[in-house]
Structure formats: structure tokens, C-alpha cells
Amino acid sequence: MNAIVDISIVIPVFNSEKAIPELISRINQVVDQISNSYEILLVDDFSLDNSWEILKELQDKNDNISIFRLSKNYGQHNATICGIKHAIGNVIITMDDDLEHLPESIPTIYKYFIDQQYDILYACPNKRQKNFFRNFLGNFWNYLLKLSNKGISDASSFRIIKRSLAENVALHQEPFVYIEAIVLWYTNNIGQITIPFGKRKHGASNYTVSQLYNLNHDLGMHYNTHVLKFLRNFGITVFLCSFILIIYFLLKKIYGSPVPGYTSLIIVALFSTGSILWGLGYLGSYIGKMFRVLNKEPQFHINEKKTKEFQK
């Protein structure tokens, strides 16, 4: 689809009934300064509060807002992809719903994006507000992704994406989505800009430590085969070590000084069994993901939507 407006702003929404009205008001104030041709797409990821009713009220009052209600909670990246697939802007801006991403920064990052002619630009915080453990987990995983060439060293969900790249990202149909990994399949023309971030005004982060771990776990499995390669190399190492131990114990027995007791055998048996079970668990996870893909598990399903006339 050809672009119809200059800018599309995609915002996944989850349990943000208190923040959304202020966010939309501030977006309208600042984006009007750079373009009078823009749209806002709000994707409700099956919120448990009154967010959907708030979105419907906002859509009734603003002719540039389209809203989508997913049938269940699919996750932030899936909800973002839903918005990208329905966006009609020449560039697509994605941002969070909690007011940490300041709408007042949009003109700055938009100008920088246009001037530098990036395919995608990440607006990163000059100081992260999250706790130490969450920062450590995110930074460590981003570092591993950079080393494996499967991610971007410093990224955030505050992005500006060129339409041609967004269309390629939107082509992916698999149920497991991580936008930063997909981006690197299509471009290296990636920019970053450091800007101040705000503080969450209402509630706590929707990402728990457990959810962050699961996201990173799925990312590591779905977008590369490093775990399988590690298990292969680990298995070879265990086999070689076991072979050396077998020769060692045989020589000790032949020369009349066998190793007393079964401690060493028990240790080797437990270590080998644990390694095998660990490897089988990961292989099972890979097979399970293949099963879900082959059965065409949906990336998202829209239960209800209200869009502008030219999007219907």
C-alpha cells in the first residue's frame, strides 16, 4: 500500500487507562508542529482495565486515531507489528503507552531521522530509570545479540522506521516476533540518538523479570541456532572428557591401583545425565516452536477495531 499520510504513530496499549488521554493530547500538540498529515494507531493488547473504553472515546473525538482490540494478550512486539501492518504513513513511529517516551522528543528525532536518511532510528535514554537488575539483564542480552550479529547493541521501543523497511518487517507471519532481530535481516543503515526519557506516572512496568527472561529465551531460540551449536560443542566436549576418564580408570585398574569407591562414577553419571536432559529440553523447545509455526498459530487476532474511513 502506498503511503497516504506523512507519519504513522503506533502505540501498543496494555492497562494504561490513566496515561493514554494525556499521551494522545501531548502527541497532537507536538506532531502538529512538524506535519498536519499524520495518524495514531492504538493497539489494545487485551487490557484488563478500562483502556479499550478510553480508546473508543478518544477515537470518537479525534479523526486521526484508529484503534484495534486484540482477542488476547499477544505481547508488546506482536501488538506493535499489528499497528505497523495497518499503518499508512511514509514513516512509522513506535512508542510506549506509559509516558516514559516523551512526545515532545518526536520533532527532534524526526528531524534527525530525515537529515541522516536512516532506515530505522532508535531513541535511547541518556539515563535508564529501571532498577539495576532489569538494566543489567537488558544490557547483557543486547551485548550478546551484538556479538552474535542478531540484535542491536542499544535499542528501545521508541523508533522511527522508514516505510520500505516497515513493510518488510510486516511480512513476517511467525507467532514469535522480535522487531530488532528482524530489522537486521534487511538493513544495516541503523541510527541511534540519545534523548531524555520521562518517568512512569501510573502503575508499574508491565514487564516482570520472569517475562523479560521468557522474552530473551524465546529470542535466543527463535532467531538463531547458537544454543543448538553450543549443545553440539558441549556434547563433543563431554564425550572427549568421558573418553579420557575411561582410559584413566582402565589404566589405574590394569596397573593395580583402581580408584576406590563409586564417587567418581556417580559424579560422571549425574553430570552426563543432566547434560543430556538439558539438551533434550532445548531440542524439545525447538520442536515445539516448529510445531506452532507449522500449525500456523496466528501472530495476533483483532477482535474489534475502529478505523478512519480510508482504512476500512
Side-chain angles (χ1 to χ4, degrees):
M1 181 188 294
N2 294 326
I4 299 177
V5 298
D6 292 337
I7 302 171
S8 294
I9 301 175
V10 175
I11 305 173
V13 176
F14 185 71
N15 293 347
S16 298
E17 60 180 356
K18 295 180 180 179
I20 283 295
E22 179 183 347
L23 176 62
I24 298 304
S25 174
R26 289 166 61 180
I27 287 176
N28 283 329
Q29 291 176 19
V30 298
V31 179
D32 279 337
Q33 301 172 16
I34 57 177
S35 175
N36 58 5
S37 175
Y38 68 95
E39 63 168 352
I40 303 173
L41 299 97
L42 300 165
V43 183
D44 181 14
D45 194 19
F46 201 70
S47 296
L48 303 177
D49 62 1
N50 203 38
S51 293
W52 179 243
E53 298 303 319
I54 299 296
L55 296 189
K56 289 194 288 186
E57 293 177 6
L58 290 169
Q59 205 268 348
D60 289 338
K61 297 176 182 177
N62 297 268
D63 59 5
N64 64 340
I65 290 180
S66 297
I67 59 175
F68 306 85
R69 167 81 165 172
L70 302 186
S71 59
K72 70 171 190 175
N73 183 257
Y74 285 91
Q76 182 183 19
H77 285 259
N78 295 59
T80 302
I81 289 289
C82 173
I84 290 175
K85 287 185 176 182
H86 289 85
I88 56 173
N90 191 46
V91 300
I92 292 93
I93 299 175
T94 69
M95 59 191 302
D96 289 350
D97 60 349
D98 55 11
L99 297 173
E100 287 189 9
H101 298 165
L102 301 176
E104 291 75 19
S105 298
I106 291 177
T108 300
I109 62 177
Y110 179 77
K111 183 179 185 303
Y112 188 71
F113 174 79
I114 297 299
D115 290 344
Q116 299 298 320
Q117 297 184 341
Y118 289 120
D119 289 333
I120 183 169
L121 173 68
Y122 288 94
C124 302
N126 51 17
K127 183 178 181 181
R128 296 191 180 273
Q129 304 291 338
K130 298 179 176 63
N131 63 55
F132 172 80
F133 183 77
R134 286 169 60 89
N135 285 337
F136 173 79
L137 183 62
N139 292 334
F140 178 71
W141 191 254
N142 284 335
Y143 177 71
L144 292 181
L145 289 173
K146 183 181 179 182
L147 289 180
S148 65
N149 198 32
K150 291 296 181 183
I152 297 159
S153 60
D154 193 12
S156 79
S157 51
F158 201 178
R159 324 171 182 87
I160 301 186
I161 312 173
K162 189 177 179 180
R163 179 162 190 83
S164 58
L165 175 60
E167 288 176 342
N168 285 327
V169 171
L171 289 175
H172 289 258
Q173 300 294 330
E174 65 271 13
F176 325 102
V177 181
Y178 190 78
I179 295 172
E180 278 57 69
I182 297 174
V183 161
L184 281 179
W185 291 353
Y186 295 101
T187 184
N188 287 320
N189 186 21
I190 300 168
Q192 296 169 346
I193 183 173
T194 301
I195 60 171
F197 271 35
K199 291 185 178 181
R200 176 185 288 268
K201 290 186 176 182
H202 309 285
S205 172
N206 292 318
Y207 272 114
T208 64
V209 173
S210 174
Q211 289 172 326
L212 286 172
Y213 171 79
N214 290 333
L215 174 66
N216 293 334
H217 178 270
D218 288 343
L219 170 61
M221 293 186 63
H222 187 62
Y223 288 100
N224 59 63
T225 57
H226 294 312
V227 175
L228 287 177
K229 292 176 181 177
F230 171 77
L231 289 175
R232 177 199 63 192
N233 295 333
F234 183 72
I236 293 173
T237 303
V238 171
F239 171 78
L240 292 175
C241 291
S242 300
F243 185 73
I244 293 172
L245 285 174
I246 289 171
I247 295 175
Y248 171 75
F249 287 129
L250 284 175
L251 290 175
K252 295 284 284 186
K253 186 175 182 63
I254 291 172
Y255 289 100
S257 56
V259 178
Y262 298 95
T263 303
S264 57
L265 295 178
I266 292 174
I267 291 174
V268 171
L270 290 176
F271 180 74
S272 300
T273 303
S275 301
I276 292 170
L277 291 175
W278 180 46
L280 288 175
Y282 261 96
L283 288 175
S285 296
Y286 273 105
I287 293 171
K289 287 183 177 295
M290 291 171 59
F291 177 80
R292 292 170 65 184
V293 171
L294 291 174
N295 278 277
K296 298 181 179 179
E297 179 179 330
Q299 195 176 71
F300 58 84
H301 175 69
I302 299 173
N303 196 45
E304 186 178 351
K305 66 180 180 179
K306 294 182 68 179
T307 63
K308 291 180 292 185
E309 188 65 31
F310 51 75
Q311 280 194 322
K312 292 182 179 179

Short mmCIF file of all heavy atoms in Angstrom, two decimals, residues 43-76:
data_model
loop_
_atom_site.label_atom_id
_atom_site.label_comp_id
_atom_site.label_asym_id
_atom_site.label_seq_id
_atom_site.Cartn_x
_atom_site.Cartn_y
_atom_site.Cartn_z
N VAL A 43 -3.14 0.04 19.65
CA VAL A 43 -3.44 -1.39 19.64
C VAL A 43 -3.56 -1.87 21.08
O VAL A 43 -2.57 -1.95 21.81
CB VAL A 43 -2.34 -2.19 18.90
CG1 VAL A 43 -2.72 -3.67 18.84
CG2 VAL A 43 -2.12 -1.63 17.50
N ASP A 44 -4.78 -2.17 21.49
CA ASP A 44 -5.04 -2.65 22.85
C ASP A 44 -4.73 -4.14 22.92
O ASP A 44 -5.44 -4.96 22.33
CB ASP A 44 -6.49 -2.37 23.22
CG ASP A 44 -6.82 -2.82 24.64
OD1 ASP A 44 -5.88 -3.09 25.40
OD2 ASP A 44 -8.02 -2.90 24.98
N ASP A 45 -3.68 -4.49 23.66
CA ASP A 45 -3.24 -5.88 23.77
C ASP A 45 -4.00 -6.60 24.88
O ASP A 45 -3.42 -7.15 25.80
CB ASP A 45 -1.73 -5.91 24.03
CG ASP A 45 -1.12 -7.28 23.81
OD1 ASP A 45 -1.76 -8.11 23.13
OD2 ASP A 45 -0.01 -7.52 24.31
N PHE A 46 -5.34 -6.57 24.76
CA PHE A 46 -6.25 -7.23 25.69
C PHE A 46 -6.03 -6.73 27.12
O PHE A 46 -5.76 -7.49 28.05
CB PHE A 46 -6.09 -8.75 25.63
CG PHE A 46 -7.29 -9.50 26.16
CD1 PHE A 46 -8.48 -9.51 25.45
CD2 PHE A 46 -7.23 -10.19 27.35
CE1 PHE A 46 -9.59 -10.20 25.93
CE2 PHE A 46 -8.33 -10.87 27.85
CZ PHE A 46 -9.51 -10.88 27.13
N SER A 47 -6.16 -5.42 27.28
CA SER A 47 -6.01 -4.81 28.61
C SER A 47 -7.08 -5.32 29.56
O SER A 47 -8.21 -5.64 29.16
CB SER A 47 -6.12 -3.29 28.50
OG SER A 47 -5.06 -2.76 27.74
N LEU A 48 -6.73 -5.36 30.84
CA LEU A 48 -7.64 -5.84 31.87
C LEU A 48 -8.35 -4.69 32.58
O LEU A 48 -9.22 -4.94 33.43
CB LEU A 48 -6.87 -6.69 32.89
CG LEU A 48 -6.12 -7.90 32.30
CD1 LEU A 48 -5.35 -8.61 33.39
CD2 LEU A 48 -7.08 -8.85 31.60
N ASP A 49 -7.97 -3.46 32.26
CA ASP A 49 -8.63 -2.31 32.88
C ASP A 49 -9.60 -1.69 31.86
O ASP A 49 -10.10 -2.36 30.97
CB ASP A 49 -7.59 -1.30 33.38
CG ASP A 49 -6.74 -0.74 32.25
OD1 ASP A 49 -6.97 -1.10 31.07
OD2 ASP A 49 -5.84 0.08 32.53
N ASN A 50 -9.83 -0.41 31.98
CA ASN A 50 -10.82 0.28 31.14
C ASN A 50 -10.18 0.92 29.90
O ASN A 50 -10.76 1.83 29.30
CB ASN A 50 -11.53 1.35 31.97
CG ASN A 50 -12.89 1.72 31.40
OD1 ASN A 50 -13.62 0.87 30.91
ND2 ASN A 50 -13.22 3.00 31.45
N SER A 51 -9.01 0.44 29.51
CA SER A 51 -8.28 1.07 28.40
C SER A 51 -9.08 1.10 27.10
O SER A 51 -9.08 2.11 26.39
CB SER A 51 -6.95 0.35 28.17
OG SER A 51 -6.06 0.52 29.25
N TRP A 52 -9.75 0.01 26.77
CA TRP A 52 -10.47 -0.05 25.49
C TRP A 52 -11.58 0.99 25.43
O TRP A 52 -11.79 1.63 24.39
CB TRP A 52 -11.02 -1.44 25.25
CG TRP A 52 -11.78 -1.57 23.96
CD1 TRP A 52 -13.10 -1.88 23.81
CD2 TRP A 52 -11.27 -1.39 22.64
NE1 TRP A 52 -13.45 -1.90 22.48
CE2 TRP A 52 -12.34 -1.60 21.73
CE3 TRP A 52 -10.02 -1.06 22.12
CZ2 TRP A 52 -12.19 -1.50 20.35
CZ3 TRP A 52 -9.86 -0.96 20.74
CH2 TRP A 52 -10.93 -1.17 19.87
N GLU A 53 -12.29 1.18 26.52
CA GLU A 53 -13.35 2.19 26.54
C GLU A 53 -12.76 3.59 26.38
O GLU A 53 -13.33 4.44 25.69
CB GLU A 53 -14.14 2.10 27.86
CG GLU A 53 -14.86 0.78 28.06
CD GLU A 53 -15.81 0.46 26.92
OE1 GLU A 53 -16.50 1.39 26.45
OE2 GLU A 53 -15.86 -0.71 26.49
N ILE A 54 -11.61 3.82 26.99
CA ILE A 54 -10.93 5.11 26.84
C ILE A 54 -10.51 5.31 25.38
O ILE A 54 -10.65 6.41 24.82
CB ILE A 54 -9.69 5.19 27.76
CG1 ILE A 54 -10.11 5.07 29.23
CG2 ILE A 54 -8.92 6.48 27.52
CD1 ILE A 54 -10.99 6.19 29.72
N LEU A 55 -10.00 4.26 24.75
CA LEU A 55 -9.58 4.36 23.35
C LEU A 55 -10.77 4.69 22.45
O LEU A 55 -10.65 5.49 21.51
CB LEU A 55 -8.93 3.05 22.89
CG LEU A 55 -7.63 2.63 23.58
CD1 LEU A 55 -7.02 1.43 22.86
CD2 LEU A 55 -6.63 3.77 23.64
N LYS A 56 -11.91 4.10 22.72
CA LYS A 56 -13.09 4.39 21.90
C LYS A 56 -13.52 5.85 22.06
O LYS A 56 -13.93 6.50 21.08
CB LYS A 56 -14.23 3.43 22.27
CG LYS A 56 -13.98 2.00 21.80
CD LYS A 56 -15.24 1.15 21.87
CE LYS A 56 -15.62 0.83 23.28
NZ LYS A 56 -16.77 -0.13 23.34
N GLU A 57 -13.43 6.36 23.27
CA GLU A 57 -13.77 7.77 23.48
C GLU A 57 -12.80 8.68 22.73
O GLU A 57 -13.21 9.68 22.11
CB GLU A 57 -13.74 8.09 24.98
CG GLU A 57 -14.83 7.39 25.79
CD GLU A 57 -14.71 7.67 27.28
OE1 GLU A 57 -13.84 8.50 27.65
OE2 GLU A 57 -15.46 7.06 28.06
N LEU A 58 -11.52 8.36 22.78
CA LEU A 58 -10.52 9.17 22.09
C LEU A 58 -10.71 9.10 20.58
O LEU A 58 -10.55 10.10 19.87
CB LEU A 58 -9.11 8.68 22.45
CG LEU A 58 -8.64 8.97 23.89
CD1 LEU A 58 -7.35 8.22 24.18
CD2 LEU A 58 -8.43 10.47 24.08
N GLN A 59 -11.06 7.92 20.08
CA GLN A 59 -11.27 7.78 18.64
C GLN A 59 -12.47 8.57 18.16
O GLN A 59 -12.46 9.13 17.06
CB GLN A 59 -11.43 6.29 18.31
CG GLN A 59 -11.05 5.91 16.89
CD GLN A 59 -12.24 5.96 15.94
OE1 GLN A 59 -13.39 6.06 16.37
NE2 GLN A 59 -11.96 5.90 14.64
N ASP A 60 -13.49 8.66 18.99
CA ASP A 60 -14.68 9.44 18.64
C ASP A 60 -14.37 10.94 18.56
O ASP A 60 -14.97 11.67 17.76
CB ASP A 60 -15.79 9.21 19.67
CG ASP A 60 -16.40 7.81 19.56
OD1 ASP A 60 -16.28 7.20 18.48
OD2 ASP A 60 -16.97 7.33 20.56
N LYS A 61 -13.40 11.38 19.36
CA LYS A 61 -13.08 12.81 19.43
C LYS A 61 -11.98 13.22 18.46
O LYS A 61 -11.77 14.42 18.24
CB LYS A 61 -12.66 13.18 20.86
CG LYS A 61 -13.74 12.97 21.91
CD LYS A 61 -13.21 13.26 23.30
CE LYS A 61 -14.27 13.01 24.36
NZ LYS A 61 -13.75 13.22 25.74
N ASN A 62 -11.23 12.26 17.92
CA ASN A 62 -10.09 12.57 17.05
C ASN A 62 -10.23 11.80 15.74
O ASN A 62 -10.28 10.56 15.75
CB ASN A 62 -8.77 12.17 17.73
CG ASN A 62 -8.50 12.96 19.00
OD1 ASN A 62 -7.86 14.00 18.98
ND2 ASN A 62 -9.00 12.45 20.13
N ASP A 63 -10.25 12.52 14.63
CA ASP A 63 -10.43 11.85 13.35
C ASP A 63 -9.13 11.27 12.80
O ASP A 63 -9.12 10.71 11.70
CB ASP A 63 -11.05 12.81 12.32
CG ASP A 63 -10.20 14.05 12.10
OD1 ASP A 63 -9.09 14.13 12.67
OD2 ASP A 63 -10.66 14.95 11.36
N ASN A 64 -8.03 11.41 13.55
CA ASN A 64 -6.76 10.84 13.08
C ASN A 64 -6.36 9.60 13.88
O ASN A 64 -5.22 9.15 13.79
CB ASN A 64 -5.64 11.89 13.17
CG ASN A 64 -5.37 12.32 14.61
OD1 ASN A 64 -6.21 12.15 15.49
ND2 ASN A 64 -4.19 12.88 14.85
N ILE A 65 -7.27 9.04 14.66
CA ILE A 65 -6.97 7.89 15.51
C ILE A 65 -7.69 6.65 15.01
O ILE A 65 -8.88 6.69 14.70
CB ILE A 65 -7.36 8.17 16.98
CG1 ILE A 65 -6.42 9.22 17.59
CG2 ILE A 65 -7.31 6.89 17.81
CD1 ILE A 65 -6.73 9.54 19.04
N SER A 66 -6.95 5.55 14.92
CA SER A 66 -7.51 4.23 14.65
C SER A 66 -7.19 3.33 15.83
O SER A 66 -6.09 3.40 16.39
CB SER A 66 -6.93 3.63 13.37
OG SER A 66 -7.25 4.42 12.24
N ILE A 67 -8.13 2.51 16.23
CA ILE A 67 -7.94 1.66 17.41
C ILE A 67 -8.22 0.20 17.06
O ILE A 67 -9.07 -0.11 16.23
CB ILE A 67 -8.81 2.12 18.59
CG1 ILE A 67 -10.30 2.08 18.22
CG2 ILE A 67 -8.41 3.51 19.04
CD1 ILE A 67 -11.22 2.40 19.39
N PHE A 68 -7.47 -0.69 17.72
CA PHE A 68 -7.59 -2.12 17.49
C PHE A 68 -7.58 -2.83 18.84
O PHE A 68 -6.76 -2.51 19.70
CB PHE A 68 -6.43 -2.64 16.63
CG PHE A 68 -6.26 -1.89 15.33
CD1 PHE A 68 -5.53 -0.71 15.28
CD2 PHE A 68 -6.84 -2.37 14.16
CE1 PHE A 68 -5.37 -0.02 14.09
CE2 PHE A 68 -6.68 -1.68 12.97
CZ PHE A 68 -5.95 -0.50 12.93
N ARG A 69 -8.46 -3.78 19.00
CA ARG A 69 -8.54 -4.57 20.23
C ARG A 69 -8.20 -6.01 19.90
O ARG A 69 -8.91 -6.67 19.13
CB ARG A 69 -9.95 -4.48 20.81
CG ARG A 69 -10.29 -5.49 21.91
CD ARG A 69 -9.76 -5.08 23.26
NE ARG A 69 -10.39 -5.88 24.32
CZ ARG A 69 -10.02 -5.85 25.59
NH1 ARG A 69 -9.05 -5.05 25.98
NH2 ARG A 69 -10.63 -6.59 26.49
N LEU A 70 -7.08 -6.53 20.45
CA LEU A 70 -6.69 -7.91 20.19
C LEU A 70 -7.50 -8.86 21.06
O LEU A 70 -7.97 -8.50 22.14
CB LEU A 70 -5.19 -8.09 20.46
CG LEU A 70 -4.25 -7.19 19.64
CD1 LEU A 70 -2.80 -7.58 19.88
CD2 LEU A 70 -4.57 -7.24 18.16
N SER A 71 -7.66 -10.09 20.58
CA SER A 71 -8.54 -11.05 21.24
C SER A 71 -7.93 -11.64 22.51
O SER A 71 -8.64 -12.23 23.33
CB SER A 71 -8.90 -12.18 20.28
OG SER A 71 -7.73 -12.85 19.83
N LYS A 72 -6.61 -11.51 22.66
CA LYS A 72 -5.93 -11.94 23.88
C LYS A 72 -4.61 -11.20 23.96
O LYS A 72 -4.26 -10.44 23.05
CB LYS A 72 -5.70 -13.46 23.89
CG LYS A 72 -4.67 -13.95 22.89
CD LYS A 72 -4.35 -15.42 23.12
CE LYS A 72 -3.14 -15.86 22.29
NZ LYS A 72 -2.74 -17.25 22.58
N ASN A 73 -3.88 -11.40 25.04
CA ASN A 73 -2.60 -10.72 25.21
C ASN A 73 -1.52 -11.44 24.41
O ASN A 73 -1.11 -12.55 24.75
CB ASN A 73 -2.23 -10.67 26.69
CG ASN A 73 -0.94 -9.91 26.94
OD1 ASN A 73 0.10 -10.51 27.18
ND2 ASN A 73 -1.00 -8.59 26.87
N TYR A 74 -1.07 -10.80 23.33
CA TYR A 74 -0.06 -11.40 22.45
C TYR A 74 1.35 -10.90 22.75
O TYR A 74 2.32 -11.46 22.26
CB TYR A 74 -0.39 -11.11 20.99
CG TYR A 74 -1.53 -11.94 20.44
CD1 TYR A 74 -2.84 -11.48 20.51
CD2 TYR A 74 -1.30 -13.18 19.86
CE1 TYR A 74 -3.89 -12.24 20.01
CE2 TYR A 74 -2.34 -13.94 19.35
CZ TYR A 74 -3.63 -13.47 19.43
OH TYR A 74 -4.68 -14.22 18.94
N GLY A 75 1.48 -9.82 23.49
CA GLY A 75 2.80 -9.28 23.79
C GLY A 75 3.06 -7.99 23.03
O GLY A 75 2.45 -7.70 21.99
N GLN A 76 4.00 -7.20 23.55
CA GLN A 76 4.26 -5.87 23.01
C GLN A 76 4.69 -5.89 21.55
O GLN A 76 4.21 -5.10 20.73
CB GLN A 76 5.32 -5.17 23.85
CG GLN A 76 5.63 -3.75 23.39
CD GLN A 76 6.74 -3.10 24.20
OE1 GLN A 76 7.51 -3.79 24.86
NE2 GLN A 76 6.82 -1.79 24.15
#
